[in-house]
Amino acid sequence: MSAIISIIVPIYNVDNYLEKCIDSILNQALEEFELVLVNDGSTDNSGAICDKYSNKDERVKVIHKKNGGVSSARNVGIKNANGDYIGFVDPDDYVDIDMYKKLYELCIKSNSDIAICKLGREINGNIINKSYDEGLLELNNLEGMRELFKGELYRFSLCNKLFNKKCFENIKFPEGRIHEDLSTTYKLFANSNKSIYTNYMGYIYVKRENSILTSTYSERRLQSFIGWDEIIDFMSNKYSEVSDQVIATFTYWCIDNINYIFNQIKDKNDIKIHLNYIRQYTVKHYRLIKYNNILSNKYKLRVKLFNINTSILILENRIRCS
């Protein structure tokens, strides 16, 4: 059986969740796929679980490699993918039985390079954003990019999307840093001619307490600003029509991170170091923030005060929280 779709799962020490994830993929209504399990140097039972499934189902391909991070694992998966379309599943999440059938059919029927479904969120066993009515929205290249940065229908996550393999031409995930979706997805949309969105909920993201992005603020999360610097440069040169939305979303990202730092870090010196790191980027792009047509004056003023002196924002936060 030839593979229409390659589904790539990067795996590192997730043996408690992995079988549910793999089972949800192997039970897909569309059967013409290959499942590429990339074991990224796991030290638990994850590698053995992968091998068990490869022995049971010929659609399962296992690659064992030294630990290099999610980006490294995904890059290896793409290199070994044989399908015409590529999808990604994180190993502690799961997918609905019809997800890849629906996304593939949408790509074919609408002649789209990317199909996107609604991303469900599960917390403590409950899906908190169920949807009941299904609708479709076809988007040209510019419209698809604008929606990506608006973030109302879909965001940067790769896992609720199916991509024509051509979208990955000359593109690799940035190895050695997190927020790899943020740093890559916009490039995939740039390589697409058309995308299609359905609010059918196909992918279920399971929130874990020990996730990098849900635990106490880590210095590694500041790596996202490297990605944003690349995004702003790329979008300013190639998608100037979307620049206002890009800068607005970047500003919201800055303010969110500032709030996380205040709420999740106790050490005053660490707070100051992290804020000064972000300040490099708000100062660099302040002119674009200042003249942005989407941002409210409240956001612009807060960034202005932050740029003058991070201590002003620290004082403002203490007053607000007292």
Side-chain angles (χ1 to χ4, degrees):
M1 183 188 300
S2 60
I4 296 172
I5 298 172
S6 296
I7 304 170
I8 298 169
V9 182
I11 296 162
Y12 180 73
N13 289 356
V14 284
D15 57 5
N16 288 334
Y17 315 111
L18 186 55
E19 292 192 13
K20 181 176 181 178
C21 173
I22 295 175
D23 286 339
S24 75
I25 298 170
L26 294 180
N27 289 331
Q28 287 293 292
L30 184 149
E31 297 182 348
E32 297 86 358
F33 66 84
E34 63 174 2
L35 174 55
V36 184
L37 302 176
V38 184
N39 176 33
D40 190 39
S42 296
T43 57
D44 65 359
N45 201 39
S46 295
I49 292 172
C50 293
D51 290 336
K52 179 184 73 173
Y53 277 96
S54 69
N55 291 329
K56 292 195 304 182
D57 194 317
E58 63 180 5
R59 296 175 298 175
V60 180
K61 177 192 297 184
V62 179
I63 300 169
H64 296 284
K65 62 182 287 294
K66 292 182 179 180
N67 180 253
V70 174
S71 290
S72 172
R74 285 178 173 169
N75 287 336
V76 169
I78 293 167
K79 186 177 180 179
N80 288 274
N82 296 310
D84 297 323
Y85 291 82
I86 293 178
F88 298 89
V89 178
D90 285 341
D92 49 356
D93 298 333
Y94 61 95
V95 293
D96 180 73
I97 191 170
D98 292 317
M99 175 176 157
Y100 283 109
K101 182 176 187 292
K102 289 194 175 189
L103 293 185
Y104 174 69
E105 288 177 349
L106 286 175
C107 281
I108 298 302
K109 290 177 181 178
S110 66
N111 194 30
S112 296
D113 295 318
I114 304 174
I116 309 141
C117 66
K118 183 175 179 178
L119 188 149
R121 300 180 188 277
E122 181 182 297
I123 299 177
N124 298 324
N126 298 312
I127 297 175
I128 62 171
N129 59 333
K130 292 181 180 179
S131 59
Y132 301 96
D133 298 323
E134 289 188 28
L136 296 175
L137 180 63
E138 296 185 33
L139 303 156
N140 63 30
N141 176 268
L142 182 61
E143 292 167 340
M145 189 69 85
R146 181 176 283 111
E147 288 297 330
L148 177 67
F149 284 95
K150 281 175 67 176
E152 294 175 358
L153 298 179
Y154 53 88
R155 296 182 184 273
F156 299 100
S157 172
L158 290 163
C159 294
N160 61 331
K161 302 172 180 67
L162 181 66
F163 300 90
N164 189 310
K165 194 173 185 178
K166 74 173 188 179
C167 293
F168 289 89
E169 291 177 6
N170 301 315
I171 292 176
K172 287 187 176 182
F173 292 95
E175 299 189 15
R177 70 186 199 226
I178 64 171
H179 294 290
E180 61 284 337
D181 290 6
L182 171 72
S183 299
T184 307
T185 306
Y186 71 98
K187 297 177 184 177
L188 302 178
F189 273 80
N191 276 354
S192 72
N193 292 317
K194 183 180 178 183
S195 55
I196 184 165
Y197 171 80
T198 171
N199 64 347
Y200 149 74
M201 186 181 292
Y203 189 93
I204 308 300
Y205 162 73
V206 183
K207 186 174 181 180
R208 308 287 180 194
E209 291 302 320
N210 60 349
S211 165
I212 289 175
L213 300 182
T214 58
S215 57
T216 301
Y217 196 92
S218 165
E219 185 178 0
R220 292 182 67 198
R221 292 173 68 171
L222 296 173
Q223 295 170 2
S224 65
F225 291 94
I226 301 172
W228 271 110
D229 223 29
E230 296 167 351
I231 288 169
I232 292 170
D233 181 60
F234 180 94
M235 296 298 291
S236 296
N237 289 326
K238 297 192 175 183
Y239 288 88
S240 58
E241 307 98 317
V242 190
S243 287
D244 263 2
Q245 186 61 63
V246 172
I247 294 301
T249 304
F250 163 70
T251 304
Y252 301 145
W253 187 281
C254 292
I255 298 299
D256 283 347
N257 274 266
I258 289 167
N259 290 336
Y260 292 144
I261 288 168
F262 280 128
N263 293 330
Q264 298 180 11
I265 297 179
K266 302 300 181 184
D267 186 276
K268 293 179 182 178
N269 189 54
D270 286 344
I271 290 175
K272 191 171 183 179
I273 291 171
H274 290 355
L275 292 180
N276 281 332
Y277 184 89
I278 296 175
R279 185 173 175 270
Q280 298 177 60
Y281 295 94
T282 56
V283 168
K284 180 178 180 179
H285 301 297
Y286 180 64
R287 188 175 183 280
L288 295 174
I289 295 171
K290 180 180 179 180
Y291 294 106
N292 187 272
N293 292 318
I294 296 175
L295 290 168
S296 67
N297 288 332
K298 176 183 175 181
Y299 275 97
K300 293 179 181 179
L301 178 59
R302 196 166 191 215
V303 173
K304 181 178 181 179
L305 293 175
F306 179 62
N307 287 350
I308 294 170
N309 192 333
T310 56
S311 298
I312 295 176
L313 202 59
I314 293 172
L315 178 60
E316 176 201 350
N317 186 76
R318 286 174 182 166
I319 294 171
R320 183 162 49 86
C321 296
S322 61

